[in-house]
Amino acid sequence: MNEGRIYLAVIGDIKKSRDLKNRNEIQKKIKETLNDINTKYTEDITSKFLITLGDEFQGLLHTGKNVLKIVTEIKMRLYPVKLRFGLGAGKITTDINYEMALGADGPGYYCAREAINLLKEKEHGKRVVPADICIKMEVHKEDRELLINTVFELLKTIEDGWTVRQREIIWDMLKNQDGQQRTADRLGITQSTVQKMLAAGTYYTYERALGNVEKVLEEEIR
């Protein structure tokens, strides 16, 4: 049934999870977040997101249309816990169970695992690579992979420069997509303050880059 089709496998996990003091609370929050993701993005999901191994979770999508929205929402909900995400574009060679992303196998999952392992390796290397998202593709398109992963590095560099207030405002804008005045009303601040914080946080460049990468992924996986 899924022969020849390209899927997008998503594997996420917590960085340095053993160092967290409140792991049980965080795991409960992950479960709640993934349940909400499964409900909100049900039209994109082939196998529901769920916790798989310890502090690792995964899901399977049949489109790249909203993958970065999903990743961003998980990051927002679990912040300040630090996460990494491996994305794998490829075929699934076994039967797929919608209720859980377990048991299925194939190049899509191999690529996602390769991507997340690559992030881990780079984190332990001498050269600091700020990205927390990486994609690998079954059909090797090295130029496209390189370009997307470079954008992921640049996006994370922008994120790391945000102040607490900038992050609050930017994430509200990303979540609600209804303009500066509505964000100002929700946060109890002026529209001019929102405008200044967005400019200081390079928001519109950041948002445009997210959207453009998502368009590319939508073309690759559909």
Side-chain angles (χ1 to χ4, degrees):
M1 184 176 179
N2 51 310
E3 185 177 352
R5 180 165 188 168
I6 299 299
Y7 294 87
L8 187 61
V10 181
I11 298 177
D13 77 347
I14 298 174
K15 295 182 181 181
K16 299 181 179 179
S17 59
R18 294 181 181 179
D19 296 338
L20 298 174
K21 296 179 181 179
N22 54 340
R23 286 183 68 185
N24 289 336
E25 291 179 16
I26 291 170
Q27 280 211 334
K28 288 179 182 177
K29 197 167 185 179
I30 293 174
K31 288 180 181 178
E32 292 174 1
T33 300
L34 296 182
N35 286 338
D36 290 343
I37 291 292
N38 289 332
T39 299
K40 184 174 180 179
Y41 296 97
T42 183
E43 293 184 0
D44 300 74
I45 292 173
T46 300
S47 288
K48 289 181 179 179
F49 284 81
L50 80 166
I51 295 176
T52 51
L53 297 170
D55 298 306
E56 186 176 283
F57 53 90
Q58 66 184 48
L60 185 66
L61 308 173
H62 50 259
T63 173
K65 181 180 179 181
N66 290 311
V67 62
L68 296 186
K69 292 182 181 66
I70 291 171
V71 167
T72 300
E73 188 162 335
I74 294 172
K75 287 167 64 173
M76 286 192 288
R77 292 275 296 268
L78 294 174
Y79 184 81
V81 175
K82 295 182 179 180
L83 305 168
R84 62 173 76 86
F85 293 86
L87 309 181
K91 293 187 289 291
I92 301 300
T93 54
T94 59
D95 290 338
I96 295 173
N97 182 351
Y98 171 72
E99 291 300 324
M100 60 178 65
L102 286 173
D105 202 4
Y109 280 113
Y110 306 154
C111 288
R113 179 62 61 190
E114 181 184 353
I116 204 163
N117 286 340
L118 183 61
L119 287 177
K120 291 178 181 179
E121 290 172 10
K122 288 183 176 180
E123 287 165 13
H124 291 115
K126 293 182 179 180
R127 188 170 75 90
V128 177
V129 178
D132 55 3
I133 311 171
C134 179
I135 188 168
K136 300 297 290 184
M137 299 178 181
E138 175 191 1
V139 178
H140 292 295
K141 300 179 180 179
E142 293 183 3
D143 290 345
R144 181 157 285 199
E145 271 186 20
L146 179 62
L147 182 59
I148 293 172
N149 286 326
T150 300
V151 174
F152 287 153
E153 290 187 12
L154 293 172
L155 288 172
K156 187 61 169 58
T157 300
I158 291 174
E159 287 180 30
D160 287 346
W162 292 340
T163 65
V164 173
R165 194 53 158 166
Q166 287 169 359
R167 186 181 301 275
E168 180 184 21
I169 291 169
I170 288 169
W171 276 355
D172 186 273
M173 287 282 291
L174 288 172
K175 178 182 177 181
N176 294 289
Q177 295 288 310
D178 59 1
Q180 294 182 15
Q181 188 58 58
R182 292 287 183 86
T183 292
D185 293 342
R186 278 189 294 271
L187 299 179
I189 55 180
T190 64
Q191 182 272 333
S192 62
T193 297
V194 171
Q195 185 179 32
K196 290 175 183 177
M197 291 295 102
L198 294 178
T202 324
Y203 168 72
Y204 288 105
T205 299
Y206 180 89
E207 182 195 35
R208 188 164 58 252
L210 272 179
N212 287 340
V213 171
E214 214 162 46
K215 286 178 183 177
V216 171
L217 294 178
E218 184 179 3
E219 291 175 3
E220 290 290 335
I221 301 101
R222 57 182 178 180

